[in-house]
PDB file of all heavy atoms in Angstrom:
ATOM      1  N   ARG L   1     -29.806-117.914  27.603  1.00 95.00           N
ATOM      2  CA  ARG L   1     -30.928-118.665  28.001  1.00 95.00           C
ATOM      3  C   ARG L   1     -30.640-120.204  27.746  1.00 95.00           C
ATOM      4  O   ARG L   1     -30.878-121.062  28.634  1.00 95.00           O
ATOM      5  CB  ARG L   1     -32.192-118.331  27.176  1.00 95.00           C
ATOM      6  CG  ARG L   1     -32.892-117.006  27.770  1.00 95.00           C
ATOM      7  CD  ARG L   1     -33.830-116.463  26.691  1.00 95.00           C
ATOM      8  NE  ARG L   1     -34.877-117.445  26.369  1.00 95.00           N
ATOM      9  CZ  ARG L   1     -35.753-117.289  25.390  1.00 95.00           C
ATOM     10  NH1 ARG L   1     -35.631-116.235  24.505  1.00 95.00           N
ATOM     11  NH2 ARG L   1     -36.661-118.128  25.195  1.00 95.00           N
ATOM     12  N   VAL L   2     -30.062-120.417  26.603  1.00 95.00           N
ATOM     13  CA  VAL L   2     -29.618-121.888  26.329  1.00 95.00           C
ATOM     14  C   VAL L   2     -28.597-122.388  27.192  1.00 95.00           C
ATOM     15  O   VAL L   2     -28.703-123.512  27.578  1.00 95.00           O
ATOM     16  CB  VAL L   2     -29.241-121.944  24.737  1.00 95.00           C
ATOM     17  CG1 VAL L   2     -28.853-123.392  24.433  1.00 95.00           C
ATOM     18  CG2 VAL L   2     -30.437-121.506  23.844  1.00 95.00           C
ATOM     19  N   SER L   3     -27.546-121.496  27.371  1.00 94.00           N
ATOM     20  CA  SER L   3     -26.397-122.008  28.128  1.00 94.00           C
ATOM     21  C   SER L   3     -26.680-122.029  29.673  1.00 94.00           C
ATOM     22  O   SER L   3     -25.880-122.682  30.401  1.00 94.00           O
ATOM     23  CB  SER L   3     -25.219-121.049  27.862  1.00 94.00           C
ATOM     24  OG  SER L   3     -25.461-119.792  28.294  1.00 94.00           O
ATOM     25  N   GLY L   4     -27.701-121.384  30.056  1.00 94.00           N
ATOM     26  CA  GLY L   4     -28.053-121.452  31.471  1.00 94.00           C
ATOM     27  C   GLY L   4     -27.196-120.583  32.316  1.00 94.00           C
ATOM     28  O   GLY L   4     -27.034-120.707  33.551  1.00 94.00           O
ATOM     29  N   THR L   5     -26.528-119.606  31.724  1.00 95.00           N
ATOM     30  CA  THR L   5     -25.679-118.721  32.407  1.00 95.00           C
ATOM     31  C   THR L   5     -26.314-117.311  32.477  1.00 95.00           C
ATOM     32  O   THR L   5     -27.290-117.060  31.835  1.00 95.00           O
ATOM     33  CB  THR L   5     -24.318-118.524  31.728  1.00 95.00           C
ATOM     34  OG1 THR L   5     -24.435-118.209  30.365  1.00 95.00           O
ATOM     35  CG2 THR L   5     -23.532-119.891  31.785  1.00 95.00           C
ATOM     36  N   ALA L   6     -25.661-116.430  33.240  1.00 96.00           N
ATOM     37  CA  ALA L   6     -26.221-115.042  33.391  1.00 96.00           C
ATOM     38  C   ALA L   6     -25.301-114.079  32.602  1.00 96.00           C
ATOM     39  O   ALA L   6     -24.177-114.309  32.400  1.00 96.00           O
ATOM     40  CB  ALA L   6     -26.220-114.592  34.835  1.00 96.00           C
ATOM     41  N   MET L   7     -25.922-113.027  32.193  1.00 97.00           N
ATOM     42  CA  MET L   7     -25.108-111.950  31.433  1.00 97.00           C
ATOM     43  C   MET L   7     -23.967-111.500  32.294  1.00 97.00           C
ATOM     44  O   MET L   7     -22.926-111.243  31.735  1.00 97.00           O
ATOM     45  CB  MET L   7     -26.119-110.781  31.055  1.00 97.00           C
ATOM     46  CG  MET L   7     -26.869-110.939  29.818  1.00 97.00           C
ATOM     47  SD  MET L   7     -25.809-111.172  28.250  1.00 97.00           S
ATOM     48  CE  MET L   7     -24.822-109.712  28.339  1.00 97.00           C
ATOM     49  N   ARG L   8     -24.232-111.338  33.564  1.00 97.00           N
ATOM     50  CA  ARG L   8     -23.145-110.709  34.396  1.00 97.00           C
ATOM     51  C   ARG L   8     -22.019-111.701  34.529  1.00 97.00           C
ATOM     52  O   ARG L   8     -20.825-111.262  34.953  1.00 97.00           O
ATOM     53  CB  ARG L   8     -23.688-110.402  35.717  1.00 97.00           C
ATOM     54  CG  ARG L   8     -24.209-111.717  36.564  1.00 97.00           C
ATOM     55  CD  ARG L   8     -24.783-111.294  37.896  1.00 97.00           C
ATOM     56  NE  ARG L   8     -25.305-112.488  38.614  1.00 97.00           N
ATOM     57  CZ  ARG L   8     -26.634-112.908  38.391  1.00 97.00           C
ATOM     58  NH1 ARG L   8     -27.436-112.239  37.623  1.00 97.00           N
ATOM     59  NH2 ARG L   8     -27.045-113.941  39.078  1.00 97.00           N
ATOM     60  N   ASP L   9     -22.091-112.947  34.059  1.00 97.00           N
ATOM     61  CA  ASP L   9     -20.960-113.846  34.301  1.00 97.00           C
ATOM     62  C   ASP L   9     -20.231-114.059  32.969  1.00 97.00           C
ATOM     63  O   ASP L   9     -19.246-114.836  32.841  1.00 97.00           O
ATOM     64  CB  ASP L   9     -21.577-115.260  34.776  1.00 97.00           C
ATOM     65  CG  ASP L   9     -22.145-115.141  36.072  1.00 97.00           C
ATOM     66  OD1 ASP L   9     -21.668-114.382  36.955  1.00 97.00           O
ATOM     67  OD2 ASP L   9     -23.133-115.921  36.365  1.00 97.00           O
ATOM     68  N   GLN L  10     -20.569-113.398  31.955  1.00 97.00           N
ATOM     69  CA  GLN L  10     -19.924-113.559  30.637  1.00 97.00           C
ATOM     70  C   GLN L  10     -18.523-112.900  30.632  1.00 97.00           C
ATOM     71  O   GLN L  10     -18.281-111.901  31.255  1.00 97.00           O
ATOM     72  CB  GLN L  10     -20.759-112.947  29.498  1.00 97.00           C
ATOM     73  CG  GLN L  10     -22.117-113.492  29.504  1.00 97.00           C
ATOM     74  CD  GLN L  10     -22.206-115.035  29.298  1.00 97.00           C
ATOM     75  OE1 GLN L  10     -21.490-115.669  28.497  1.00 97.00           O
ATOM     76  NE2 GLN L  10     -23.054-115.564  30.209  1.00 97.00           N
ATOM     77  N   ARG L  11     -17.665-113.568  29.759  1.00 98.00           N
ATOM     78  CA  ARG L  11     -16.319-112.995  29.458  1.00 98.00           C
ATOM     79  C   ARG L  11     -16.213-112.998  27.981  1.00 98.00           C
ATOM     80  O   ARG L  11     -16.325-113.991  27.278  1.00 98.00           O
ATOM     81  CB  ARG L  11     -15.169-113.937  30.007  1.00 98.00           C
ATOM     82  CG  ARG L  11     -15.201-114.075  31.607  1.00 98.00           C
ATOM     83  CD  ARG L  11     -13.980-114.904  32.004  1.00 98.00           C
ATOM     84  NE  ARG L  11     -13.967-116.177  31.414  1.00 98.00           N
ATOM     85  CZ  ARG L  11     -14.773-117.219  31.859  1.00 98.00           C
ATOM     86  NH1 ARG L  11     -15.635-117.019  32.843  1.00 98.00           N
ATOM     87  NH2 ARG L  11     -14.746-118.420  31.289  1.00 98.00           N
ATOM     88  N   ILE L  12     -16.109-111.657  27.428  1.00 98.00           N
ATOM     89  CA  ILE L  12     -16.386-111.469  26.016  1.00 98.00           C
ATOM     90  C   ILE L  12     -15.120-111.032  25.323  1.00 98.00           C
ATOM     91  O   ILE L  12     -14.553-110.017  25.811  1.00 98.00           O
ATOM     92  CB  ILE L  12     -17.500-110.503  25.906  1.00 98.00           C
ATOM     93  CG1 ILE L  12     -18.825-110.965  26.554  1.00 98.00           C
ATOM     94  CG2 ILE L  12     -17.790-110.127  24.398  1.00 98.00           C
ATOM     95  CD1 ILE L  12     -19.868-109.924  26.670  1.00 98.00           C
ATOM     96  N   VAL L  13     -14.770-111.530  24.275  1.00 98.00           N
ATOM     97  CA  VAL L  13     -13.663-111.159  23.392  1.00 98.00           C
ATOM     98  C   VAL L  13     -14.210-110.631  22.139  1.00 98.00           C
ATOM     99  O   VAL L  13     -14.938-111.363  21.420  1.00 98.00           O
ATOM    100  CB  VAL L  13     -12.652-112.274  23.087  1.00 98.00           C
ATOM    101  CG1 VAL L  13     -11.637-111.828  22.092  1.00 98.00           C
ATOM    102  CG2 VAL L  13     -11.919-112.728  24.359  1.00 98.00           C
ATOM    103  N   VAL L  14     -13.961-109.313  21.832  1.00 98.00           N
ATOM    104  CA  VAL L  14     -14.402-108.692  20.597  1.00 98.00           C
ATOM    105  C   VAL L  14     -13.290-108.672  19.662  1.00 98.00           C
ATOM    106  O   VAL L  14     -12.217-107.862  20.003  1.00 98.00           O
ATOM    107  CB  VAL L  14     -14.946-107.298  20.862  1.00 98.00           C
ATOM    108  CG1 VAL L  14     -15.380-106.627  19.636  1.00 98.00           C
ATOM    109  CG2 VAL L  14     -16.079-107.405  21.862  1.00 98.00           C
ATOM    110  N   PHE L  15     -13.270-109.332  18.594  1.00 98.00           N
ATOM    111  CA  PHE L  15     -12.222-109.309  17.547  1.00 98.00           C
ATOM    112  C   PHE L  15     -12.659-108.433  16.451  1.00 98.00           C
ATOM    113  O   PHE L  15     -13.409-108.764  15.652  1.00 98.00           O
ATOM    114  CB  PHE L  15     -12.016-110.752  17.043  1.00 98.00           C
ATOM    115  CG  PHE L  15     -10.724-110.909  16.164  1.00 98.00           C
ATOM    116  CD1 PHE L  15      -9.533-110.763  16.632  1.00 98.00           C
ATOM    117  CD2 PHE L  15     -10.959-111.147  14.766  1.00 98.00           C
ATOM    118  CE1 PHE L  15      -8.363-110.819  15.800  1.00 98.00           C
ATOM    119  CE2 PHE L  15      -9.809-111.267  13.852  1.00 98.00           C
ATOM    120  CZ  PHE L  15      -8.538-111.055  14.465  1.00 98.00           C
ATOM    121  N   GLY L  16     -12.087-107.147  16.435  1.00 96.00           N
ATOM    122  CA  GLY L  16     -12.456-106.097  15.513  1.00 96.00           C
ATOM    123  C   GLY L  16     -13.006-104.914  16.358  1.00 96.00           C
ATOM    124  O   GLY L  16     -14.261-104.879  16.400  1.00 96.00           O
ATOM    125  N   ALA L  17     -12.156-104.080  16.899  1.00 95.00           N
ATOM    126  CA  ALA L  17     -12.635-103.022  17.779  1.00 95.00           C
ATOM    127  C   ALA L  17     -12.878-101.736  17.115  1.00 95.00           C
ATOM    128  O   ALA L  17     -12.295-100.745  17.509  1.00 95.00           O
ATOM    129  CB  ALA L  17     -11.521-102.888  18.960  1.00 95.00           C
ATOM    130  N   GLY L  18     -13.570-101.745  15.940  1.00 90.00           N
ATOM    131  CA  GLY L  18     -13.942-100.547  15.322  1.00 90.00           C
ATOM    132  C   GLY L  18     -15.220 -99.965  15.869  1.00 90.00           C
ATOM    133  O   GLY L  18     -15.681-100.324  16.963  1.00 90.00           O
ATOM    134  N   THR L  19     -15.908 -99.122  15.046  1.00 86.00           N
ATOM    135  CA  THR L  19     -17.081 -98.456  15.532  1.00 86.00           C
ATOM    136  C   THR L  19     -18.154 -99.509  15.814  1.00 86.00           C
ATOM    137  O   THR L  19     -18.842 -99.437  16.848  1.00 86.00           O
ATOM    138  CB  THR L  19     -17.661 -97.571  14.389  1.00 86.00           C
ATOM    139  OG1 THR L  19     -16.672 -96.570  14.094  1.00 86.00           O
ATOM    140  CG2 THR L  19     -18.876 -96.815  14.763  1.00 86.00           C
ATOM    141  N   ALA L  20     -18.320-100.478  14.974  1.00 88.00           N
ATOM    142  CA  ALA L  20     -19.306-101.542  15.196  1.00 88.00           C
ATOM    143  C   ALA L  20     -19.026-102.422  16.395  1.00 88.00           C
ATOM    144  O   ALA L  20     -19.841-102.663  17.270  1.00 88.00           O
ATOM    145  CB  ALA L  20     -19.547-102.393  13.928  1.00 88.00           C
ATOM    146  N   GLY L  21     -17.743-102.856  16.440  1.00 94.00           N
ATOM    147  CA  GLY L  21     -17.368-103.764  17.521  1.00 94.00           C
ATOM    148  C   GLY L  21     -17.525-103.096  18.824  1.00 94.00           C
ATOM    149  O   GLY L  21     -18.000-103.769  19.814  1.00 94.00           O
ATOM    150  N   CYS L  22     -16.987-101.866  18.941  1.00 93.00           N
ATOM    151  CA  CYS L  22     -17.190-101.146  20.292  1.00 93.00           C
ATOM    152  C   CYS L  22     -18.550-100.810  20.595  1.00 93.00           C
ATOM    153  O   CYS L  22     -18.978-100.675  21.807  1.00 93.00           O
ATOM    154  CB  CYS L  22     -16.206 -99.988  20.301  1.00 93.00           C
ATOM    155  SG  CYS L  22     -14.463-100.481  20.427  1.00 93.00           S
ATOM    156  N   GLY L  23     -19.289-100.516  19.455  1.00 90.00           N
ATOM    157  CA  GLY L  23     -20.695-100.167  19.729  1.00 90.00           C
ATOM    158  C   GLY L  23     -21.501-101.449  20.309  1.00 90.00           C
ATOM    159  O   GLY L  23     -22.336-101.279  21.235  1.00 90.00           O
ATOM    160  N   ILE L  24     -21.121-102.652  19.844  1.00 95.00           N
ATOM    161  CA  ILE L  24     -21.680-103.913  20.349  1.00 95.00           C
ATOM    162  C   ILE L  24     -21.253-104.026  21.767  1.00 95.00           C
ATOM    163  O   ILE L  24     -22.020-104.340  22.672  1.00 95.00           O
ATOM    164  CB  ILE L  24     -21.349-105.042  19.501  1.00 95.00           C
ATOM    165  CG1 ILE L  24     -21.992-104.910  18.126  1.00 95.00           C
ATOM    166  CG2 ILE L  24     -21.730-106.309  20.129  1.00 95.00           C
ATOM    167  CD1 ILE L  24     -21.334-105.859  17.069  1.00 95.00           C
ATOM    168  N   ALA L  25     -19.895-103.792  22.011  1.00 96.00           N
ATOM    169  CA  ALA L  25     -19.400-103.972  23.318  1.00 96.00           C
ATOM    170  C   ALA L  25     -20.156-103.059  24.363  1.00 96.00           C
ATOM    171  O   ALA L  25     -20.428-103.491  25.427  1.00 96.00           O
ATOM    172  CB  ALA L  25     -17.882-103.620  23.347  1.00 96.00           C
ATOM    173  N   ASP L  26     -20.457-101.910  23.944  1.00 94.00           N
ATOM    174  CA  ASP L  26     -21.158-100.880  24.795  1.00 94.00           C
ATOM    175  C   ASP L  26     -22.496-101.524  25.269  1.00 94.00           C
ATOM    176  O   ASP L  26     -22.922-101.482  26.409  1.00 94.00           O
ATOM    177  CB  ASP L  26     -21.353 -99.557  24.021  1.00 94.00           C
ATOM    178  CG  ASP L  26     -20.172 -98.789  23.930  1.00 94.00           C
ATOM    179  OD1 ASP L  26     -19.109 -99.066  24.481  1.00 94.00           O
ATOM    180  OD2 ASP L  26     -20.193 -97.745  23.150  1.00 94.00           O
ATOM    181  N   GLN L  27     -23.256-102.084  24.358  1.00 94.00           N
ATOM    182  CA  GLN L  27     -24.563-102.628  24.572  1.00 94.00           C
ATOM    183  C   GLN L  27     -24.509-103.921  25.469  1.00 94.00           C
ATOM    184  O   GLN L  27     -25.281-104.130  26.337  1.00 94.00           O
ATOM    185  CB  GLN L  27     -25.277-102.898  23.387  1.00 94.00           C
ATOM    186  CG  GLN L  27     -25.709-101.560  22.572  1.00 94.00           C
ATOM    187  CD  GLN L  27     -26.923-101.582  21.861  1.00 94.00           C
ATOM    188  OE1 GLN L  27     -27.835-102.260  22.137  1.00 94.00           O
ATOM    189  NE2 GLN L  27     -26.883-100.859  20.682  1.00 94.00           N
ATOM    190  N   LEU L  28     -23.450-104.717  25.184  1.00 97.00           N
ATOM    191  CA  LEU L  28     -23.203-105.916  26.032  1.00 97.00           C
ATOM    192  C   LEU L  28     -22.824-105.541  27.469  1.00 97.00           C
ATOM    193  O   LEU L  28     -23.268-106.113  28.448  1.00 97.00           O
ATOM    194  CB  LEU L  28     -22.221-106.838  25.356  1.00 97.00           C
ATOM    195  CG  LEU L  28     -22.578-107.361  24.010  1.00 97.00           C
ATOM    196  CD1 LEU L  28     -21.433-108.250  23.454  1.00 97.00           C
ATOM    197  CD2 LEU L  28     -23.799-108.285  24.056  1.00 97.00           C
ATOM    198  N   ARG L  29     -21.930-104.547  27.544  1.00 97.00           N
ATOM    199  CA  ARG L  29     -21.568-104.034  28.888  1.00 97.00           C
ATOM    200  C   ARG L  29     -22.801-103.515  29.626  1.00 97.00           C
ATOM    201  O   ARG L  29     -22.955-103.859  30.799  1.00 97.00           O
ATOM    202  CB  ARG L  29     -20.574-102.912  28.745  1.00 97.00           C
ATOM    203  CG  ARG L  29     -20.130-102.145  29.970  1.00 97.00           C
ATOM    204  CD  ARG L  29     -19.635-100.735  29.707  1.00 97.00           C
ATOM    205  NE  ARG L  29     -20.632 -99.934  29.023  1.00 97.00           N
ATOM    206  CZ  ARG L  29     -20.378 -98.851  28.311  1.00 97.00           C
ATOM    207  NH1 ARG L  29     -19.162 -98.524  28.059  1.00 97.00           N
ATOM    208  NH2 ARG L  29     -21.410 -98.196  27.765  1.00 97.00           N
ATOM    209  N   ASP L  30     -23.661-102.692  28.934  1.00 95.00           N
ATOM    210  CA  ASP L  30     -24.836-102.166  29.614  1.00 95.00           C
ATOM    211  C   ASP L  30     -25.795-103.235  30.106  1.00 95.00           C
ATOM    212  O   ASP L  30     -26.473-103.190  31.078  1.00 95.00           O
ATOM    213  CB  ASP L  30     -25.573-101.139  28.669  1.00 95.00           C
ATOM    214  CG  ASP L  30     -24.722 -99.930  28.398  1.00 95.00           C
ATOM    215  OD1 ASP L  30     -23.747 -99.696  29.165  1.00 95.00           O
ATOM    216  OD2 ASP L  30     -25.091 -99.153  27.486  1.00 95.00           O
ATOM    217  N   ALA L  31     -25.869-104.364  29.276  1.00 95.00           N
ATOM    218  CA  ALA L  31     -26.706-105.421  29.646  1.00 95.00           C
ATOM    219  C   ALA L  31     -26.138-106.185  30.970  1.00 95.00           C
ATOM    220  O   ALA L  31     -26.919-106.576  31.814  1.00 95.00           O
ATOM    221  CB  ALA L  31     -26.800-106.427  28.497  1.00 95.00           C
ATOM    222  N   MET L  32     -24.818-106.266  31.047  1.00 97.00           N
ATOM    223  CA  MET L  32     -24.254-106.822  32.207  1.00 97.00           C
ATOM    224  C   MET L  32     -24.449-105.982  33.498  1.00 97.00           C
ATOM    225  O   MET L  32     -24.697-106.428  34.624  1.00 97.00           O
ATOM    226  CB  MET L  32     -22.770-107.118  32.073  1.00 97.00           C
ATOM    227  CG  MET L  32     -22.483-108.249  31.137  1.00 97.00           C
ATOM    228  SD  MET L  32     -20.662-108.691  31.114  1.00 97.00           S
ATOM    229  CE  MET L  32     -20.015-107.565  29.977  1.00 97.00           C
ATOM    230  N   VAL L  33     -24.518-104.569  33.233  1.00 96.00           N
ATOM    231  CA  VAL L  33     -24.738-103.665  34.277  1.00 96.00           C
ATOM    232  C   VAL L  33     -26.196-103.894  34.813  1.00 96.00           C
ATOM    233  O   VAL L  33     -26.499-103.933  35.976  1.00 96.00           O
ATOM    234  CB  VAL L  33     -24.615-102.187  33.906  1.00 96.00           C
ATOM    235  CG1 VAL L  33     -25.137-101.188  34.895  1.00 96.00           C
ATOM    236  CG2 VAL L  33     -23.081-101.993  33.601  1.00 96.00           C
ATOM    237  N   ARG L  34     -27.139-104.006  33.790  1.00 94.00           N
ATOM    238  CA  ARG L  34     -28.505-104.212  34.289  1.00 94.00           C
ATOM    239  C   ARG L  34     -28.779-105.537  34.918  1.00 94.00           C
ATOM    240  O   ARG L  34     -29.682-105.745  35.638  1.00 94.00           O
ATOM    241  CB  ARG L  34     -29.399-104.241  32.939  1.00 94.00           C
ATOM    242  CG  ARG L  34     -29.572-102.860  32.341  1.00 94.00           C
ATOM    243  CD  ARG L  34     -30.541-102.862  31.168  1.00 94.00           C
ATOM    244  NE  ARG L  34     -30.289-103.657  30.074  1.00 94.00           N
ATOM    245  CZ  ARG L  34     -29.643-103.147  28.988  1.00 94.00           C
ATOM    246  NH1 ARG L  34     -29.167-101.914  28.944  1.00 94.00           N
ATOM    247  NH2 ARG L  34     -29.363-103.944  27.974  1.00 94.00           N
ATOM    248  N   ASP L  35     -27.789-106.516  34.778  1.00 95.00           N
ATOM    249  CA  ASP L  35     -27.837-107.786  35.408  1.00 95.00           C
ATOM    250  C   ASP L  35     -27.051-107.814  36.659  1.00 95.00           C
ATOM    251  O   ASP L  35     -26.938-108.895  37.300  1.00 95.00           O
ATOM    252  CB  ASP L  35     -27.330-108.910  34.488  1.00 95.00           C
ATOM    253  CG  ASP L  35     -27.837-110.244  34.816  1.00 95.00           C
ATOM    254  OD1 ASP L  35     -28.981-110.399  35.349  1.00 95.00           O
ATOM    255  OD2 ASP L  35     -27.027-111.217  34.645  1.00 95.00           O
ATOM    256  N   GLY L  36     -26.672-106.602  37.290  1.00 96.00           N
ATOM    257  CA  GLY L  36     -26.180-106.552  38.555  1.00 96.00           C
ATOM    258  C   GLY L  36     -24.704-106.066  38.719  1.00 96.00           C
ATOM    259  O   GLY L  36     -24.229-105.822  39.863  1.00 96.00           O
ATOM    260  N   LEU L  37     -23.900-105.985  37.657  1.00 97.00           N
ATOM    261  CA  LEU L  37     -22.478-105.510  37.783  1.00 97.00           C
ATOM    262  C   LEU L  37     -22.430-103.986  37.759  1.00 97.00           C
ATOM    263  O   LEU L  37     -23.278-103.324  37.201  1.00 97.00           O
ATOM    264  CB  LEU L  37     -21.663-106.091  36.647  1.00 97.00           C
ATOM    265  CG  LEU L  37     -21.500-107.582  36.468  1.00 97.00           C
ATOM    266  CD1 LEU L  37     -20.526-107.815  35.345  1.00 97.00           C
ATOM    267  CD2 LEU L  37     -20.954-108.238  37.764  1.00 97.00           C
ATOM    268  N   ASP L  38     -21.507-103.464  38.412  1.00 97.00           N
ATOM    269  CA  ASP L  38     -21.236-102.005  38.275  1.00 97.00           C
ATOM    270  C   ASP L  38     -20.546-101.798  36.935  1.00 97.00           C
ATOM    271  O   ASP L  38     -19.969-102.743  36.345  1.00 97.00           O
ATOM    272  CB  ASP L  38     -20.367-101.471  39.333  1.00 97.00           C
ATOM    273  CG  ASP L  38     -18.967-102.055  39.416  1.00 97.00           C
ATOM    274  OD1 ASP L  38     -18.056-101.748  38.554  1.00 97.00           O
ATOM    275  OD2 ASP L  38     -18.751-102.884  40.390  1.00 97.00           O
ATOM    276  N   ARG L  39     -20.480-100.534  36.415  1.00 97.00           N
ATOM    277  CA  ARG L  39     -20.076-100.260  35.017  1.00 97.00           C
ATOM    278  C   ARG L  39     -18.595-100.664  34.926  1.00 97.00           C
ATOM    279  O   ARG L  39     -18.201-101.170  33.923  1.00 97.00           O
ATOM    280  CB  ARG L  39     -20.281 -98.843  34.844  1.00 97.00           C
ATOM    281  CG  ARG L  39     -19.928 -98.361  33.334  1.00 97.00           C
ATOM    282  CD  ARG L  39     -20.152 -96.880  33.141  1.00 97.00           C
ATOM    283  NE  ARG L  39     -19.862 -96.476  31.756  1.00 97.00           N
ATOM    284  CZ  ARG L  39     -20.754 -96.417  30.838  1.00 97.00           C
ATOM    285  NH1 ARG L  39     -21.994 -96.855  30.965  1.00 97.00           N
ATOM    286  NH2 ARG L  39     -20.400 -95.945  29.678  1.00 97.00           N
ATOM    287  N   ASP L  40     -17.682-100.333  35.839  1.00 97.00           N
ATOM    288  CA  ASP L  40     -16.348-100.631  35.744  1.00 97.00           C
ATOM    289  C   ASP L  40     -16.055-102.112  35.620  1.00 97.00           C
ATOM    290  O   ASP L  40     -15.301-102.631  34.787  1.00 97.00           O
ATOM    291  CB  ASP L  40     -15.571-100.057  36.868  1.00 97.00           C
ATOM    292  CG  ASP L  40     -15.389 -98.584  36.745  1.00 97.00           C
ATOM    293  OD1 ASP L  40     -15.633 -97.979  35.717  1.00 97.00           O
ATOM    294  OD2 ASP L  40     -15.097 -97.828  37.763  1.00 97.00           O
ATOM    295  N   THR L  41     -16.809-102.888  36.458  1.00 98.00           N
ATOM    296  CA  THR L  41     -16.561-104.381  36.435  1.00 98.00           C
ATOM    297  C   THR L  41     -17.033-104.970  35.189  1.00 98.00           C
ATOM    298  O   THR L  41     -16.418-105.785  34.560  1.00 98.00           O
ATOM    299  CB  THR L  41     -17.347-104.965  37.672  1.00 98.00           C
ATOM    300  OG1 THR L  41     -16.905-104.444  38.820  1.00 98.00           O
ATOM    301  CG2 THR L  41     -17.134-106.491  37.601  1.00 98.00           C
ATOM    302  N   ALA L  42     -18.170-104.422  34.726  1.00 98.00           N
ATOM    303  CA  ALA L  42     -18.704-104.980  33.353  1.00 98.00           C
ATOM    304  C   ALA L  42     -17.715-104.623  32.263  1.00 98.00           C
ATOM    305  O   ALA L  42     -17.471-105.435  31.367  1.00 98.00           O
ATOM    306  CB  ALA L  42     -20.053-104.413  33.143  1.00 98.00           C
ATOM    307  N   THR L  43     -17.171-103.455  32.238  1.00 98.00           N
ATOM    308  CA  THR L  43     -16.227-103.048  31.253  1.00 98.00           C
ATOM    309  C   THR L  43     -14.958-103.965  31.268  1.00 98.00           C
ATOM    310  O   THR L  43     -14.409-104.377  30.225  1.00 98.00           O
ATOM    311  CB  THR L  43     -15.737-101.620  31.490  1.00 98.00           C
ATOM    312  OG1 THR L  43     -16.968-100.782  31.395  1.00 98.00           O
ATOM    313  CG2 THR L  43     -14.837-101.185  30.279  1.00 98.00           C
ATOM    314  N   ARG L  44     -14.570-104.372  32.461  1.00 97.00           N
ATOM    315  CA  ARG L  44     -13.432-105.285  32.508  1.00 97.00           C
ATOM    316  C   ARG L  44     -13.660-106.642  32.177  1.00 97.00           C
ATOM    317  O   ARG L  44     -12.723-107.482  32.004  1.00 97.00           O
ATOM    318  CB  ARG L  44     -12.946-105.336  34.110  1.00 97.00           C
ATOM    319  CG  ARG L  44     -12.378-103.920  34.647  1.00 97.00           C
ATOM    320  CD  ARG L  44     -11.172-103.453  33.880  1.00 97.00           C
ATOM    321  NE  ARG L  44     -11.553-102.552  32.809  1.00 97.00           N
ATOM    322  CZ  ARG L  44     -10.677-102.213  31.861  1.00 97.00           C
ATOM    323  NH1 ARG L  44      -9.402-102.795  31.837  1.00 97.00           N
ATOM    324  NH2 ARG L  44     -10.945-101.400  30.893  1.00 97.00           N
ATOM    325  N   ARG L  45     -14.942-107.000  31.929  1.00 98.00           N
ATOM    326  CA  ARG L  45     -15.207-108.352  31.370  1.00 98.00           C
ATOM    327  C   ARG L  45     -15.262-108.442  29.900  1.00 98.00           C
ATOM    328  O   ARG L  45     -15.738-109.384  29.315  1.00 98.00           O
ATOM    329  CB  ARG L  45     -16.539-108.805  31.981  1.00 98.00           C
ATOM    330  CG  ARG L  45     -16.456-108.917  33.539  1.00 98.00           C
ATOM    331  CD  ARG L  45     -17.741-109.554  34.091  1.00 98.00           C
ATOM    332  NE  ARG L  45     -17.782-111.021  33.822  1.00 98.00           N
ATOM    333  CZ  ARG L  45     -17.228-111.884  34.617  1.00 98.00           C
ATOM    334  NH1 ARG L  45     -16.563-111.546  35.729  1.00 98.00           N
ATOM    335  NH2 ARG L  45     -17.378-113.197  34.353  1.00 98.00           N
ATOM    336  N   ILE L  46     -14.750-107.367  29.241  1.00 98.00           N
ATOM    337  CA  ILE L  46     -14.733-107.293  27.762  1.00 98.00           C
ATOM    338  C   ILE L  46     -13.270-107.065  27.358  1.00 98.00           C
ATOM    339  O   ILE L  46     -12.657-106.129  27.793  1.00 98.00           O
ATOM    340  CB  ILE L  46     -15.623-106.212  27.281  1.00 98.00           C
ATOM    341  CG1 ILE L  46     -17.076-106.534  27.636  1.00 98.00           C
ATOM    342  CG2 ILE L  46     -15.508-106.079  25.730  1.00 98.00           C
ATOM    343  CD1 ILE L  46     -18.107-105.441  27.227  1.00 98.00           C
TER     344      ILE L  46
END
């Protein structure tokens, strides 16, 4: 909201790909899907 960008346009780097990191990635991916991306494209943005 502050940056004026959309969830579907994010490029996300997760440093620490354990249970918590990948669990967060899952929810961020799903949020990008809800914002218009297909699941594969959203996954590729992480």
Side-chain angles (χ1 to χ4, degrees):
R1 285 165 58 194
V2 177
S3 66
T5 58
M7 274 300 303
R8 62 182 176 273
D9 295 329
Q10 303 307 310
R11 297 182 304 280
I12 300 167
V13 170
V14 178
F15 187 69
T19 301
C22 288
I24 296 169
D26 288 348
Q27 295 206 36
L28 296 177
R29 175 203 61 204
D30 292 347
M32 288 190 280
V33 170
R34 290 190 293 270
D35 201 34
L37 296 184
D38 63 73
R39 186 181 180 89
D40 287 343
T41 302
T43 303
R44 293 299 91 195
R45 298 187 73 85
I46 298 175

